[in-house]
Amino acid sequence: MSPAQIIDACVLINLLATGELKSILDSVGRPSLICSIVQEESVYLKTGDPNNPKELINLAPFLNDGTLSVCEIGDENEELLYVDFASVLDDGEAMTLAIAINRGLYLVTDERKARRLFSEQFANPKRLISTSDLIHHWAQEKKISANKLQKTLQKIESRASYRPPTTDRNQKWWIKALS
Amino acid sequence: MHKHVLNHIDPKTIGARLQEARRASGLTQHAVAERMKMARTTLVAIEKGERRLTPHELLTFAELFGRPVSEFVGRPSVTIGFVPQFRAAWRQYFEKNADLERAATELQSLAEDYVELERLCNLPIVRAYPAPYDISRSTPEQSGEEIAAAERIRLGIGDGPLSNLRDRLENDVGLRIFYFSMSAKLSGVFAYNDTLGGCIGINANHPRDRRHWSLAHEYGHFLTNRFRAEITFLTSTKRSSSVERLADAFAENFLMPASGLNRRFTEMHRASPAGSITLAQICMLADLYQVSVQALIIRLEKLKRLPVGTWDRLSAEEFRPRRAQQMLGINATTPEEYLLPKRYLNLAVLAYEKGELSEGQLSRLLRTDRVSAREYVEKIRTSFNSPAETGYEPFKLDLAQALA
């Protein structure tokens, strides 16, 4: 079985914004983890309503139906990596990265610093996945219509204020799908 | 990034931070040692920096104190924190009031973050601090007046209203000024050390005029006795000392200099068909100077432009300044637009764009959630990029480049 993937908060927010989290993660075909600190981090999305501009997202339904599982720091080596990464990242990013490296998991993050540390220092860059990789894969795997894909990407932009940078390998595809 | 970072950080730095975190959480050494299953002497050695921590111990401490691990290993080393300064100067208040500890800790935390951003961007703040003024030969009131006049001249700001006081003090003096939520009875806090410089925290929950006054008041502390950490209460306490009287006199004279105020008052008199000054005009003048109606009337009484007792009379007649301001369309309750200094915000975005900060670190530094942090970055990007561009480009503007 393919190793699990561990998702950092920056990507989780984007996936939650789509309203298609379960469908997107199901299309990948491997278990999806988040670390306990990311679970505790309050995730807000924009609503577009000026009277109530932000909405706090509840992760419980996705944890209850098994779409996501929570993991904790494990052995001494993970503790060591976690503390080292916490000197240059925030706690959620550091814990996610430490677990990904120590357990040989796929790392799902858009975070430049975390991606750099993952690919430069320790691990296999092929196990590095971004928001756009997941959406691109989902669109192909589930044969998502152009109209639905456009609406999904619009939601990521409007609710999570995210658009991939020009350095992202799927950026041109993303812009085209949006237009 | 250092591998095995705990072997590279000065154990005294981590020890001091752990001690600060323990005190802030209200736990004794005995209680913590018991929870950590270690001897109290071991904990004492860790706090003193005489024994290095293991990663497991650090994670357990962080969990126990409810603090992020990154707070202990991801921040610059500051040898002297503000909190001990506040505790030394305000011991009896600290013991009774946890709000003071919170305000002192937040000021320290914000100032450290600011210095770290400057380090990441290689853009240290420019300090134009005057030498501390001699206050030994005059009364506090005289000193406050003299220093206010001298500072107005030093900063080249004439004798008019100071609507941009914060910008002046941040840019022309090099102070670090933060607005954050404090208990209602606290107006502001001030502290200084050589590493962090002069730092002022203002209660963001107070109305505009009070915030303006508090800022000038704290600046008065900086100018006269910068090595003593100060806390200002909304209402004067038994400890309303000569230091506080001086800072108030400074604020009054700095915000409402006699020459400028007298001139405006005379002009208003001259322009008035009936030759009188109305309460509405006073309210408008207070708005112009961004001081409370009460502060302006008392100032005009002292300058003998209004009869002594005018404010007492209006109070007895149940005059409500806020109501009067509403009737005149004056909004003196607007919240501070920027809780953090604009320069701090711009440095944070610059460091993020340079890849020096992660998104999680950025949102922590901006004291907001991730999506709001993204929005802020986008706002700054938009102001640098032409609207026709699709997608975003990293900043091409190198603010750290040498031009001279």
Side-chain angles (χ1 to χ4, degrees):
Chain A
M1 188 182 170
S2 174
Q5 59 185 15
I6 184 161
I7 305 173
D8 190 18
C10 58
V11 173
L12 184 64
I13 288 171
N14 299 337
L15 300 182
L16 288 164
T18 64
E20 301 283 350
L21 176 76
K22 185 171 171 48
S23 172
I24 293 167
L25 295 183
D26 281 351
S27 75
V28 180
R30 50 179 168 256
S32 294
L33 308 175
I34 55 171
C35 75
S36 55
I37 293 183
V38 168
Q39 182 203 5
E40 288 157 18
E41 199 174 316
S42 301
V43 175
Y44 288 93
L45 290 173
K46 290 194 283 180
T47 61
D49 174 3
N51 296 322
N52 184 26
K54 281 191 219 166
E55 175 191 8
L56 180 63
I57 302 299
N58 180 12
L59 290 180
F62 304 108
L63 296 170
N64 293 340
D65 72 6
T67 304
L68 295 170
S69 305
V70 178
C71 59
E72 288 284 354
I73 277 288
D75 60 19
E76 277 181 15
N77 194 44
E78 255 169 39
E79 287 181 336
L80 182 68
L81 287 171
Y82 175 26
V83 171
D84 282 354
F85 290 135
S87 68
V88 289
L89 297 168
D90 89 341
D91 276 36
E93 295 157 346
M95 189 186 273
T96 302
L97 188 53
I99 292 172
I101 289 171
N102 196 50
R103 299 182 196 177
L105 307 181
Y106 285 87
L107 174 65
V108 187
T109 184
D110 296 323
E111 175 46 52
R112 278 175 299 170
K113 270 177 96 176
R115 291 174 73 88
R116 198 170 65 214
L117 289 166
F118 186 83
S119 48
E120 280 177 9
Q121 295 192 32
F122 299 101
N124 179 356
K126 286 182 183 167
R127 291 207 170 165
L128 201 46
I129 299 169
S130 65
T131 295
S132 69
D133 288 332
L134 285 179
I135 304 287
H136 185 260
H137 179 83
W138 170 70
Q140 291 190 327
E141 191 73 16
K142 299 260 181 178
K143 298 186 171 46
I144 301 297
S145 70
N147 186 35
K148 183 170 179 178
L149 179 60
Q150 184 193 41
K151 283 187 174 147
T152 303
L153 299 183
Q154 280 169 349
K155 279 184 189 169
I156 296 177
E157 288 206 8
S158 62
R159 301 190 73 204
S161 287
Y162 177 79
R163 181 181 278 204
T166 49
T167 49
D168 187 297
R169 60 185 161 204
N170 301 305
Q171 196 253 3
K172 286 192 175 124
W173 167 83
W174 185 293
I175 298 292
K176 197 175 165 195
L178 259 177
S179 56
Chain B
M1 184 195 80
H2 284 297
K3 245 180 154 180
H4 302 184
V5 71
L6 286 175
N7 294 337
H8 292 85
I9 298 179
D10 183 354
K12 283 186 180 159
T13 303
I14 295 194
R17 289 199 188 289
L18 286 171
Q19 188 182 55
E20 237 175 76
R22 177 181 59 74
R23 284 179 164 163
S25 61
L27 293 167
T28 63
Q29 284 181 327
H30 177 76
V32 172
E34 212 169 69
R35 301 269 285 275
M36 294 290 294
K37 295 186 176 69
M38 59 173 55
R40 199 182 73 86
T41 47
T42 308
L43 177 64
V44 171
I46 288 171
E47 288 190 354
K48 281 186 178 169
E50 291 166 356
R51 178 185 171 286
R52 284 197 183 274
L53 283 170
T54 65
H56 181 74
E57 284 168 344
L58 178 62
L59 299 185
T60 315
F61 274 124
E63 195 178 347
L64 187 59
F65 301 144
R67 299 282 185 96
V69 178
S70 52
E71 196 174 298
F72 298 101
V73 293
R75 291 181 133 206
S77 129
V78 174
T79 48
I80 314 162
F82 288 155
V83 179
Q85 278 178 258
F86 279 106
R87 196 176 283 113
W90 297 82
R91 188 171 300 280
Q92 80 249 35
Y93 291 87
F94 256 72
E95 282 163 8
K96 290 182 206 152
N97 193 337
D99 295 333
L100 302 188
E101 174 112 28
R102 270 195 290 276
T105 305
E106 183 63 358
L107 184 68
Q108 163 88 21
S109 168
L110 285 163
E112 284 187 24
D113 287 343
Y114 201 159
V115 171
E116 174 64 358
L117 285 173
E118 288 172 355
R119 191 190 64 77
L120 290 174
C121 298
N122 197 21
L123 286 169
I125 201 164
V126 176
R127 295 182 187 180
Y129 296 172
Y133 285 90
D134 179 10
I135 53 171
S136 61
R137 290 175 200 170
S138 315
T139 66
E141 287 73 19
Q142 286 166 340
S143 293
E145 185 176 351
E146 287 161 13
I147 295 168
E151 274 300 292
R152 282 234 171 207
I153 292 167
R154 188 179 78 89
L155 296 170
I157 47 182
D159 63 3
L162 273 175
S163 58
N164 58 349
L165 177 60
R166 182 187 187 176
D167 287 344
R168 287 274 180 192
L169 299 186
E170 285 178 342
N171 299 321
D172 296 351
V173 182
L175 294 180
R176 307 184 193 280
I177 299 167
F178 309 99
Y179 290 73
F180 54 90
S181 188
M182 297 178 199
S183 145
K185 59 192 167 203
L186 296 180
S187 296
V189 287
F190 161 77
Y192 169 90
N193 70 37
D194 288 340
T195 311
L196 301 174
C199 300
I200 291 173
I202 301 293
N203 192 339
N205 302 329
H206 282 177
R208 181 198 66 179
D209 300 340
R210 178 68 225 186
R211 298 195 304 265
H212 201 220
W213 181 279
S214 300
L215 181 53
H217 177 102
E218 301 303 336
Y219 184 45
H221 285 310
F222 167 77
L223 292 169
T224 52
N225 193 2
R226 73 188 57 161
F227 296 99
R228 185 190 147 87
E230 288 292 347
I231 297 169
T232 306
F233 294 88
L234 184 59
T235 50
S236 59
T237 64
K238 285 178 189 167
R239 205 187 150 281
S240 189
S241 58
S242 58
V243 173
E244 289 302 300
R245 279 162 49 211
L246 193 158
D248 269 336
F250 171 81
E252 184 178 59
N253 284 278
F254 194 58
L255 295 179
M256 299 173 283
S259 55
L261 190 56
N262 272 321
R263 194 174 58 251
R264 276 177 200 276
F265 200 81
T266 302
E267 283 164 6
M268 280 164 59
H269 238 293
R270 202 175 287 147
S272 166
S276 58
I277 301 290
T278 64
L279 187 51
Q281 283 176 296
I282 295 294
C283 290
M284 307 279 270
L285 196 57
D287 182 48
L288 182 67
Y289 278 86
Q290 292 190 14
V291 294
S292 68
V293 177
Q294 179 185 6
L296 180 66
I297 290 177
I298 290 171
R299 178 72 171 145
L300 290 169
E301 287 180 25
K302 287 181 188 172
L303 294 173
K304 300 188 176 18
R305 305 308 301 252
L306 289 176
V308 173
T310 301
W311 175 252
D312 291 341
R313 178 177 65 75
L314 287 168
S315 295
E317 291 169 3
E318 297 193 341
F319 166 64
R320 296 280 175 269
R322 192 70 67 230
R323 187 84 198 277
Q325 286 171 324
Q326 280 170 354
M327 288 168 71
L328 293 164
I330 296 167
N331 185 1
T333 57
T334 45
E336 185 66 33
E337 188 181 357
Y338 292 96
L339 299 179
L340 299 166
K342 278 181 236 171
R343 181 170 175 273
Y344 175 109
L345 295 167
N346 290 338
L347 287 176
V349 173
L350 184 61
Y352 176 68
E353 290 290 332
K354 284 169 70 180
E356 298 285 352
L357 288 178
S358 69
E359 186 179 276
Q361 289 174 308
L362 178 74
S363 51
R364 186 190 67 74
L365 286 163
L366 299 185
R367 270 61 177 175
T368 190
D369 62 278
R370 283 173 182 263
V371 172
S372 299
R374 288 178 184 179
E375 274 188 289
Y376 189 77
V377 172
E378 193 56 39
K379 190 173 139 192
I380 297 284
R381 275 183 190 138
T382 313
S383 66
F384 279 88
N385 292 337
S386 70
E389 285 173 306
T390 53
Y392 71 74
E393 297 283 346
F395 277 159
K396 292 194 178 77
L397 184 59
D398 178 10
L399 293 179
Q401 65 182 289
L403 294 180

